[in-house]
Amino acid sequence: MRLVLDTSVIVSSFRSRQGASRAVVEALDAGQFTLLLSQPLLSEYEEVLKRPAQMLIHGASHGEVDEFLDNLIADAIQVSFHFRVRPQLRDGDDDMVLETAINGIADAIVTHNVADFLPESSRFGIPIWTPGHIIKVRLQK
């Protein structure tokens, strides 16, 4: 299954070592899902994770963030944008997530902010799931 992870999932996986977001990241690492990743989305992951306020909360160093991102890159399918669909969503950063999913032919977008992607994502046939949904429904089959 090919997934695009919204930045909210990546940030949550750093904030809580026991939550559903962490379980999704661990499932990616174990090869249970395939991550689709574009350069703009990777840059957003890095920028948000390295914000001083975020670093105070998650406690990881810049080096640990870099190592985490390097591991994501190593296992991900790199997505280039062959076409753009902006603007579709209220937040331009969410448009970047949607464009990664469309160009990468994703099976789903995983986010904590489902409402931010609806109803527009349905026009492209891309389901929007929470981390909890994917863990409950997809991993327990």
Side-chain angles (χ1 to χ4, degrees):
M1 182 173 295
R2 297 161 60 100
L3 303 176
V4 175
L5 301 186
D6 185 24
T7 306
S8 65
V9 176
I10 297 297
V11 170
S12 292
S13 77
F14 263 71
R15 287 178 159 210
S16 172
R17 306 286 188 230
Q18 300 172 358
S21 294
R22 174 58 76 146
V24 169
V25 169
E26 289 174 353
L28 284 169
D29 192 44
Q32 294 173 293
F33 303 119
T34 300
L35 178 65
L36 300 175
L37 189 59
S38 64
Q39 185 57 50
L41 189 54
L42 175 64
S43 294
E44 182 181 66
Y45 290 172
E46 180 177 28
E47 188 274 323
V48 173
L49 288 173
K50 288 184 176 179
R51 286 178 185 165
Q54 289 293 334
M55 294 188 77
L56 284 173
I57 294 167
H58 62 61
S61 68
H62 280 257
E64 290 167 325
V65 170
D66 290 341
E67 182 179 342
F68 170 79
L69 295 173
D70 287 346
N71 289 335
L72 279 184
I73 293 166
D75 295 332
I77 294 175
Q78 300 299 309
V79 176
S80 298
F81 293 167
H82 300 289
F83 59 90
R84 304 251 182 195
V85 297
R86 294 176 193 218
Q88 294 290 321
L89 307 170
R90 291 177 295 277
D91 181 342
D93 289 338
D94 291 337
D95 274 327
M96 173 182 52
V97 174
L98 181 60
E99 284 179 333
T100 302
I102 292 166
N103 283 279
I105 312 171
D107 294 306
I109 293 171
V110 182
T111 182
H112 287 286
N113 308 311
V114 173
D116 291 350
F117 290 90
L118 298 174
E120 290 82 358
S121 64
S122 61
R123 283 190 259 152
F124 299 98
I126 299 172
I128 308 298
W129 295 331
T130 63
H133 171 82
I134 199 158
I135 295 302
K136 284 181 193 170
V137 175
R138 300 295 172 184
L139 283 183
Q140 295 182 2
K141 281 188 173 183

